[in-house]
Amino acid sequence: KTTNNVGKTPLLEKKWTAIPRLQKKVLELERVVAQNAKIHAHRVGGEAGGANGSSVQRRMLPRLPCSHTLQGHAASVTCVQVHPVFTVVVSGSEDGTIKIWDHESGDYMKTLKGHTNSVNSLAFTPAGNYLASS
C-alpha cells in the first residue's frame, strides 16, 4: 500500500517495523526480570511445601559469604534496621550515632548524631518516610 504524501511511511509499514522493536524490548525486560529473580531469590518466596501444599515463607537470613562488611562505628552496634522501600540500612551504636548505609553497594552514606547515650532501637515507618530511634 502506498500513500500520496511524499516522505510519509504508510501506516501498515510503520506497524510492521514496530514489531521487531517491541519484541526486542520484551526480551530485554524478560532478561531483567530473570536477573532480578536471581538477585532476590533469598527473600520471602511462594514455594510450595509441607504435606498440605501450602506455601512456606522463608526468612531473609544472611548467607555466607557476606557481601559487605559495614565498618565505621566507634563502639558496638546495638541495632540495625532495613528501609522498607530503598536499599538503605541504618545501624545504631553504643557511641550514640546512627549510620546510614547502602546495603547493595556497602557504601557508607551519612552519620546522624544527637543521642547523648547509646542508640538501643531503630524503626522506620511502614512507608519509610521517617526513622525513629531511642
Side-chain angles (χ1 to χ4, degrees), residues 73 90-91 96-100 110-112 115 119 122 131 133:
H73 284 288
V90 292
S91 58
T97 62
I98 299 169
K99 296 204 181 273
I100 304 173
K110 188 174 188 173
T111 298
L112 305 176
H115 283 268
V119 179
L122 296 167
L131 170 67
S133 62

Side-chain angles (χ1 to χ4, degrees), residues 25-42:
K25 186 67 174 174
V26 166
L27 291 173
E28 179 183 333
L29 290 173
E30 287 174 346
R31 183 186 54 80
V32 170
V33 167
Q35 181 181 11
N36 287 338
K38 287 179 185 176
I39 291 171
H40 300 292
H42 67 283

Side-chain angles (χ1 to χ4, degrees), residues 69-75 77 91 93 95 97 99 101 108 111:
T69 302
L70 309 177
Q71 298 177 342
H73 284 288
V77 173
S91 58
S93 174
D95 62 7
T97 62
K99 296 204 181 273
W101 314 85
Y108 161 80
T111 298

Side-chain angles (χ1 to χ4, degrees), residues 42 62-70 103-106:
H42 67 283
R63 303 208 190 304
L64 291 176
C66 64
S67 301
H68 308 288
T69 302
L70 309 177
H103 71 75
E104 284 189 347
S105 66

Side-chain angles (χ1 to χ4, degrees), residues 3 15 21-22 29-30 40 43 47 58 71 96-97 114 118-119 124 126 129 132:
T3 59
K15 290 191 183 282
R21 182 176 44 85
L22 292 173
L29 290 173
E30 287 174 346
H40 300 292
R43 296 192 176 184
E47 297 177 350
R58 295 183 304 162
Q71 298 177 342
T97 62
S118 67
V119 179
F124 282 105
N129 296 334

